[in-house]
């Protein structure tokens, strides 16, 4: 049995060993262990990312907390989300009533259960319970993951001309934008899109603006859209049940407006293509069904090599995306003069692809049209135009449809319609649809 050494000796021995190790680590001739080479951010080919560009929360007129809304989209398979509250970006200090309605009480209870009492901030002011709305900067880290989910700061620039709604979504804004008046509806669209473009130039930050729901209260006519030079995007589909996507006997549908706008911009005014978006415009997150303003009805699939706000916006600007209410496309590609589509089929579901075009030489004159509003006042609406504008020129039932341009088209776009009903449809009888973006010869 060896005699025990004094503790001081053990301590000195340990100190000497540590000093020796330290000397070796710092000696000029010593070699540090080689650190592994960092992997590339991405080596993958471009893919489609699913996102919604129109969403509301308690920061404006939505009925749920922004964290709950972000959580819904992430859990339901979206990769990016723009929170577009009216005339505000979620920043600063804001408190709302915690018990003003049964819906608000339910919202606070669900919020507390999901994120915990330590996360939820409450106070009482004049005997009324209040809860704090957290700004985007405080909650985005809970949800964002590289290559999985992204939140994009945005705003619905909410305005009107002569009581007609003119709403513009600014995507990836740095600063909130205050809506400006125009001399007419066209100028109101233009001046507010111009504000987005000016902020982009001033900040060197990639951002876009687009026109929302042109048929909401019949706010913007095709004739006004086609004359707004700055307009590059609009909502061909919006999931809010009050926006009248399909028009009526006196008003053109949003798809008809799209074709009129494309035909006259390309064939008469020498203006660029307008791309079509599908969005939710969601406000209600507690009751679901027909007539409710719910999430999950319309989205965009943007093709990009990786997931950032910049690549998403650039993909939109390039027209490298499609809009959908459920149909999934594995490919939308132009190969020379051929537009190729690959549909991801589902068992028991059939698909019809319609290639829609306006041919060169089509009569683009049109005739003005008016409509008597509820007060009996004659109001201009989108005019009457030739049926050859937005004509179906080819139909396919295949999962890999294609169309080869002849050079006689002003543009060609495709609409893929399935026989499958959406889980929570915009309107009774709806089926899932996808829209590709127009291309020109």
């Amino acid at each position: 049995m060896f005699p025990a050494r004094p503790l001081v000796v053990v301590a000195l021995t340990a100190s000497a060993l540590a000093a020796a190790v330290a000397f070796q680590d710092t000696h000029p001739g010593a070699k540090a262990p080689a650190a592994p080479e960092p992997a590339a951010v991405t080596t993958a080919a471009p893919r489609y990312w699913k996102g919604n560009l129109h969403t509301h929360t308690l920061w404006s007129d939505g009925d749920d907390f922004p964290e709950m809304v972000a959580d819904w989209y992430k859990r339901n398979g979206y990769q990016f989300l723009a929170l577009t509250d009216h005339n505000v970006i979620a920043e600063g200090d804001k408190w709302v009533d915690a018990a003003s309605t049964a819906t608000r009480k339910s919202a606070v209870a669900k919020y507390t259960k999901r994120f915990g009492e330590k996360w939820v901030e409450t106070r009482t002011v004049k005997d009324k319970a209040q809860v704090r709305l957290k700004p985007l900067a405080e909650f985005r880290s809970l949800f964002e993951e590289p290559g999985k989910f992204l939140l994009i700061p945005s705003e619905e620039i909410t305005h009107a001309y002569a009581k007609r709604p003119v709403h513009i979504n600014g995507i990836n804004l740095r600063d909130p934008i205050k809506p400006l008046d125009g001399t007419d509806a066209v100028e109101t669209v233009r001046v507010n899109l111009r504000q987005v473009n000016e902020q982009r130039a001033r900040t060197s930050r990639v951002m876009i603006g687009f026109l929302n729901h042109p048929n909401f209260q019949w706010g913007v006519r095709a004739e006004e859209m086609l004359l707004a030079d700055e307009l590059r995007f609009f909502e061909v589909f919006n999931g809010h049940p009050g926006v009248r996507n399909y028009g009526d006997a006196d008003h053109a549908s949003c798809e008809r407006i799209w074709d009129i706008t494309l035909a006259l911009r390309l064939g008469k005014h020498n203006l660029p293509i307008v791309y079509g978006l599908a969005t939710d415009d969601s406000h209600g997150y507690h009751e679901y069904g027909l007539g409710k303003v719910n999430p999950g009805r319309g989205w965009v699939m943007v093709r990009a090599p990786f997931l950032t706000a910049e690549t998403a916006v650039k993909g939109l600007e390039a027209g490298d995306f499609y809009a959908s209410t459920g149909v999934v496309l594995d490919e939308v590609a132009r190969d020379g003069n051929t537009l190729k589509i690959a549909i991801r089929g589902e068992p028991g579901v059939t698909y019809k692809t319609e290639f829609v075009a306006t041919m060169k030489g089509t009569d683009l004159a049109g005739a003005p049209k008016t409509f008597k509003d509820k007060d009996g006042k004659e109001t201009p609406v989108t005019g009457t135009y030739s049926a050859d504008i937005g004509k179906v020129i080819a139909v396919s039932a295949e999962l890999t449809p294609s169309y080869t341009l002849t050079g006689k088209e002003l543009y060609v776009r495709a609409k893929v319609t399935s026989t499958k009903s959406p889980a929570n449809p915009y309107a009774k009888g709806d089926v899932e649809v996808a829209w590709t973006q127009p291309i020109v010869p």
Side-chain angles (χ1 to χ4, degrees):
M1 186 172 181
F2 297 102
R5 288 185 292 175
L7 288 177
V8 66
V9 176
V10 175
L12 287 172
T13 303
S15 298
L17 178 61
V21 171
F23 174 80
Q24 290 175 356
D25 287 346
T26 58
H27 192 274
K31 291 184 178 180
E37 286 291 324
V41 173
T42 179
T43 56
R47 53 160 287 189
Y48 284 109
W49 307 91
K50 181 179 181 180
N52 179 41
L53 299 172
H54 196 162
T55 315
H56 295 278
T57 76
L58 283 167
W59 275 91
S60 60
D61 57 349
D63 69 4
D64 215 344
F65 294 87
E67 301 98 304
M68 295 294 286
V69 176
D71 190 48
W72 188 96
Y73 279 95
K74 185 174 182 179
R75 287 188 293 104
N76 282 275
Y78 290 72
Q79 281 90 37
F80 64 92
L81 173 66
L83 298 174
T84 55
D85 283 302
H86 297 284
N87 295 333
V88 67
I89 292 177
E91 58 186 15
D93 193 43
K94 183 173 182 176
W95 295 76
V96 297
D97 287 338
S100 55
T101 65
T103 298
R104 183 64 54 81
K105 289 179 182 178
S106 175
V108 172
K110 293 175 185 177
Y111 179 48
T112 304
K113 181 179 180 181
R114 177 68 182 89
F115 292 98
E117 292 183 358
K118 292 183 178 179
W119 177 261
V120 179
E121 298 176 69
T122 59
R123 71 181 185 186
T124 301
V125 176
K126 295 181 180 179
D127 297 326
K128 289 187 176 181
Q130 294 184 337
V131 60
R132 180 172 176 262
L133 296 185
K134 293 184 186 294
L136 178 63
E138 287 188 26
F139 67 79
R140 68 188 309 170
S141 61
L142 287 182
F143 303 100
E144 293 188 322
E145 294 183 66
K148 293 184 178 180
F149 191 74
L150 174 71
L151 289 165
I152 302 177
S154 303
E155 172 193 357
E156 183 168 10
I157 306 163
T158 307
H159 207 37
Y161 171 76
K163 298 183 180 180
R164 292 162 55 196
V166 180
H167 297 186
I168 303 291
N169 269 12
I171 305 300
N172 200 34
L173 299 181
R174 189 191 71 177
D175 306 312
I177 291 175
K178 183 179 179 180
L180 295 177
D181 292 326
T183 55
D184 54 25
V186 177
E187 185 60 23
T188 303
V189 172
R190 295 188 66 189
V191 72
N192 288 295
L193 286 172
R194 207 174 294 144
Q195 288 200 88
V196 177
N197 295 338
E198 289 168 355
Q199 185 178 131
R200 174 174 178 160
R202 185 174 67 251
T203 63
S204 297
R205 181 182 175 115
V206 178
M207 58 185 69
I208 59 167
F210 63 82
L211 176 67
N212 295 340
H213 41 57
N215 275 351
F216 176 48
Q217 297 180 19
W218 316 119
V220 183
R221 298 179 290 129
E223 292 82 359
E224 292 158 338
M225 283 177 55
L226 67 90
L227 292 175
D229 295 24
E230 293 83 357
L231 183 65
R232 295 295 309 281
F233 307 88
F234 91 113
E235 291 178 338
V236 67
F237 177 91
N238 176 301
H240 192 305
V243 301
R244 303 179 170 117
N245 291 322
Y246 305 149
D248 62 19
D250 298 296
H251 299 85
S253 70
C254 289
E255 273 198 79
R256 179 64 176 162
I257 288 173
W258 193 13
D259 284 310
I260 294 168
T261 300
L262 288 169
L264 271 71
R265 283 174 75 107
L266 295 169
K268 189 174 182 179
H269 297 283
N270 195 29
L271 291 173
I273 281 172
V274 173
Y275 296 121
L277 307 165
T279 70
D280 275 343
D281 196 0
S282 53
H283 290 67
Y285 307 92
H286 302 287
E287 296 181 27
Y288 284 75
L290 283 171
K292 304 298 181 182
V293 193
N294 297 145
R297 288 183 173 144
W299 55 88
V300 291
M301 300 291 288
V302 182
R303 192 169 177 267
F306 47 91
L307 181 63
T308 66
E310 292 72 23
T311 57
V313 170
K314 287 179 179 178
L316 291 167
E317 288 187 304
D320 201 358
F321 71 98
Y322 67 91
S324 181
T325 64
V327 171
V328 178
L329 306 179
D330 289 322
E331 181 185 37
V332 180
R334 181 172 184 167
D335 183 2
N337 284 325
T338 301
L339 174 60
K340 296 181 176 180
I341 300 171
I343 302 166
R344 187 181 301 175
E346 294 186 46
V349 180
T350 59
Y351 301 84
K352 178 178 70 173
T353 300
E354 297 172 297
F355 291 95
V356 180
T358 301
M359 310 303 285
K360 295 175 182 177
T362 298
D363 179 10
L364 303 178
K369 186 177 180 181
T370 59
F371 169 74
K372 283 189 178 181
D373 64 18
K374 62 182 180 180
D375 299 320
K377 181 181 178 182
E378 291 283 343
T379 304
V381 297
T382 294
T384 302
Y385 292 85
S386 168
D388 288 332
I389 290 178
K391 184 178 180 179
V392 176
I393 55 172
V395 180
S396 174
E398 298 179 359
L399 290 178
T400 54
S402 65
Y403 177 83
T404 300
L405 284 78
T406 65
K408 297 179 181 180
E409 305 89 352
L410 287 173
Y411 67 90
V412 177
R413 64 179 181 86
K415 178 181 181 180
V416 182
T417 304
S418 79
T419 55
K420 181 181 177 183
S421 298
N424 182 11
Y426 160 81
K428 186 177 180 180
D430 275 1
V431 291
E432 294 182 347
V433 177
W435 297 267
T436 73
Q437 301 311 312
I439 61 172
V440 298

